[in-house]
Amino acid sequence: MVAARRAILIGHPLGHSLSPAFQNAAFRAAGIDAHYALADVPPQDLAATVASLRAANMLGANVTVPYKQDVIPFLDSLSDDARALGAVNTIVNRAGRLHGLNTDVPGFAADLREHGIDVREKCVVMLGAGGAARGVAAALVGMGVTRLVIANRTVARAAAIAAHYPGIAEPTDPGGEGIRERLAGAAALVNATSVGLHGGDMPIDGDALALLPQSATVYDLIYRPTGLLRAAASRGLRAVDGLGMLIHQGALAWEAWTGQPAPLDAMREAAHAARSAR
Ligand code: ATR
């Protein structure tokens, strides 16, 4: 008997995740007999779990916190994006050889395009300088921003990312004066910090939103309405949460596993239903 095909999400700890809902919806919609499951993997089991992806029935995996860098030594090859970022969020089993990709970068870009958010030759202010922010920075620079302001509590971390994009990126203090002028000329403000994940905390002073042009978009990678998004909407600014990015990164992973175009409508519908059910 041929074992059922599988893909897994590797992370630790894995709380509730929307990915199984929309990945399994995609398999169903495409008529593929496969299942996506959560794999909460303690650090001592990471090597064995990644090695298990070489089995013939394994399509591959998504990788999330805290393993996006840690899986790299266990892989056979990396995409250019994954190598440049030093972070893998998708592993594809190519006949027993493991290839690492980063679909967070094109997933974010795809969601901006879908929302009609045009950042080409514009200034964007990004909050945060962790792993998520690295992907967002790469996507924004790839989409042609002329200025990327990286505002982070620990300014040295912002400076470390900015150093990759000389002439485009500049680090700043989110509570300082310099950011005010940048907000006034920004096409978008992107929250890539974890502030707002739980409760209504804001990653930036709410009054600072008044500095943004009325045409600006406030985008939060967190995929539910956050304090930041509510404050933006109440000021009449366009507010976009991170669910679309989550779906797009998942759809690109699914395409890499199956070699087929992702059934995006089915994935969206399942992701929205799963979020509402939480
Ligand atoms: P991820 O991989 O999800 O990006 P991370 O690498 O831990 O997670 O990064 C978390 C980001 O949220 C960082 O930019 C962090 O700021 P510091 O670099 O100064 O730590 C930011 N962050 C987390 N908690 C914060 C808080 N209470 N106030 C301000 N920024 C915070």
Side-chain angles (χ1 to χ4, degrees):
M1 198 184 100
V2 180
R5 281 186 287 172
R6 272 163 61 84
I8 57 174
L9 171 62
I10 300 173
H12 183 68
L14 276 184
H16 191 82
S17 167
L18 300 180
S19 293
F22 65 78
Q23 294 291 2
N24 284 318
F27 288 134
R28 277 195 301 279
I32 296 175
D33 182 18
H35 186 70
Y36 183 99
L38 300 181
D40 193 327
V41 177
Q44 65 273 20
D45 294 348
L46 183 63
T49 302
V50 176
S52 75
L53 299 173
R54 298 179 191 277
N57 69 311
M58 295 303 292
L59 295 168
N62 281 139
V63 182
T64 187
V65 181
Y67 296 135
K68 289 186 182 186
Q69 298 178 338
D70 299 352
V71 295
I72 291 176
F74 307 124
L75 305 179
D76 301 306
S77 58
L78 291 179
S79 71
D80 291 345
D81 267 349
R83 188 184 310 281
L85 238 81
V88 162
N89 82 323
T90 300
I91 301 172
V92 184
N93 177 16
R94 293 179 171 169
R97 293 183 59 77
L98 300 182
H99 182 64
L101 311 172
N102 191 302
T103 68
D104 289 330
V105 176
F108 177 71
D111 197 47
L112 286 195
R113 275 194 300 274
E114 185 175 316
H115 283 93
I117 303 167
D118 183 12
V119 296
R120 220 176 110 77
E121 295 178 10
K122 305 265 173 61
C123 168
V124 173
V125 176
M126 176 179 76
L127 306 172
R134 280 182 185 273
V136 168
L140 289 169
V141 171
M143 293 180 87
V145 296
T146 40
R147 184 159 300 280
L148 174 63
V149 179
I150 307 175
N152 196 50
R153 174 179 64 179
T154 311
V155 180
R157 291 185 86 192
I161 300 181
H164 288 95
Y165 310 109
I168 298 176
E170 63 182 44
T172 194
D173 172 356
E177 268 308 303
I179 194 173
R180 302 180 69 83
E181 183 192 329
R182 293 311 191 193
L183 286 168
L189 171 69
V190 180
N191 177 38
T193 75
S194 49
V195 181
L197 203 49
H198 312 287
D201 290 357
M202 299 267 290
I204 190 170
D205 179 10
D207 290 342
L209 296 178
L211 298 166
L212 287 165
Q214 271 302 309
S215 58
T217 299
V218 176
Y219 190 108
D220 200 325
L221 262 63
I222 296 170
Y223 42 85
R224 63 175 187 79
T226 58
L228 175 68
L229 293 176
R230 276 195 287 269
S234 75
R235 288 182 188 275
L237 297 164
R238 187 161 183 219
V240 179
D241 69 52
L243 188 63
M245 176 187 178
L246 180 76
I247 296 166
H248 279 292
Q249 66 74 33
L252 292 165
W254 192 93
E255 291 181 349
W257 297 325
T258 65
Q260 298 185 20
L264 261 175
D265 288 344
M267 296 179 90
R268 274 196 205 98
E269 197 181 317
H272 282 272
R275 180 172 69 173
S276 306
R278 284 180 71 176

